[in-house]
Amino acid sequence: MSFQWCVLFSSVLVALFGGLTEACSCGPQHPQTAFCNSDVVIRGKIVSSEEVDLENRTDGTGLWLRYEIKQTKMYKGFESVSDVQYIYTPHDGGLCGFVPSDATKQTEFLFSGMTAGGRLTVTVCSFIQPWNKLSPAQKKGLMHTYKHNCDCRITACNSVPCTLSTEAECLWTDGLFSRDWDHVQARQYACVHQGDATCSWAVQKTARQA
């Protein structure tokens, strides 16, 4: 699976795992924003997978994939779940279903997702990344920095001119200058408070081992 941070724009979960209404559309999302917008963030391995029918439909459109997870650490969501045993994703890849490649099936992942009906759901637009691909600065963010700065806003700058709308905002320009959103600001920086009502980029120089 290629590295990407995305936000799901056109699909919604309705009722108790109601169908996703449209095909997904994903855009860049800084890992700090992805962390703050997620209900649960964990680290773990996929043990097994199976198809489950959560909607009791007769036409087969209610199928989801359920991944059994061996959780090794939780970074967010303690108030929602104590231990994640399963993760759910749409069965159809056209509806943003997350399907790991064969090469990564035994890999330890960082999973971020949303809870609905007591279940944790993810899509291809979720922040899902092999743990060994994360930078030390990103691991530090997951352990400490991100959760303390969720009211700082990170805005992707896609074209010039880019302007700040508030003083509590950081402009994310990785994709503008490098054509790659997985670059310096994403891998090395967090948007943090400066002791007043302002936020700015701060390099995450060290990371405590998680």
Side-chain angles (χ1 to χ4, degrees):
M1 181 188 67
S2 61
F3 188 87
Q4 66 176 11
W5 297 302
C6 306
V7 60
L8 182 62
F9 288 118
S10 58
S11 299
V12 293
L13 294 172
V14 294
L16 182 59
F17 281 85
L20 292 172
T21 58
E22 301 177 26
C24 64
S25 176
C26 300
Q29 191 172 16
H30 192 277
Q32 178 177 337
T33 305
F35 176 93
C36 293
N37 288 345
S38 298
D39 291 333
V40 176
V41 180
I42 64 166
R43 192 168 96 214
K45 289 184 178 181
I46 296 174
V47 176
S48 63
S49 64
E50 64 175 335
E51 294 180 354
V52 293
D53 186 354
L54 299 179
E55 302 169 35
N56 297 317
R57 297 187 183 180
T58 59
D59 58 2
T61 60
L63 289 177
W64 287 67
L65 285 175
R66 182 174 71 182
Y67 295 112
E68 183 180 358
I69 300 296
K70 182 180 179 181
Q71 178 183 309
T72 54
K73 193 170 184 66
M74 178 173 285
Y75 299 94
K76 184 181 181 183
F78 301 95
E79 68 284 354
S80 301
V81 290
S82 58
D83 182 67
V84 176
Q85 189 173 6
Y86 298 105
I87 289 177
Y88 296 80
T89 194
H91 181 271
D92 188 345
L95 293 176
C96 306
F98 164 70
V99 180
S101 67
D102 290 338
T104 62
K105 284 188 176 178
Q106 300 303 314
T107 300
E108 188 175 39
F109 282 96
L110 183 80
F111 295 98
S112 66
M114 307 301 291
T115 57
R119 301 183 180 96
L120 178 61
T121 65
V122 300
T123 71
V124 72
C125 294
S126 302
F127 180 24
I128 302 174
Q129 172 67 5
W131 180 253
N132 61 9
K133 297 295 185 181
L134 295 177
S135 70
Q138 289 169 330
K139 292 177 181 179
K140 177 183 179 181
L142 291 165
M143 288 292 295
H144 304 289
T145 313
Y146 295 163
K147 65 183 177 182
H148 296 301
N149 294 279
C150 281
D151 50 349
C152 289
R153 179 181 174 185
I154 298 174
T155 301
C157 178
N158 294 292
S159 61
V160 292
C162 298
T163 58
L164 293 171
S165 59
T166 72
E167 292 185 340
E169 185 177 6
C170 297
L171 284 180
W172 182 23
T173 59
D174 278 343
L176 182 64
F177 296 111
S178 68
R179 303 300 177 187
D180 182 4
W181 291 106
D182 180 22
H183 208 57
V184 176
Q185 286 176 319
R187 297 189 63 79
Q188 304 297 335
Y189 284 78
C191 183
V192 303
H193 292 287
Q194 295 303 311
D196 50 17
T198 66
C199 297
S200 64
W201 290 114
V203 65
Q204 304 299 288
K205 294 181 180 180
T206 60
R208 211 170 79 186
Q209 291 297 316

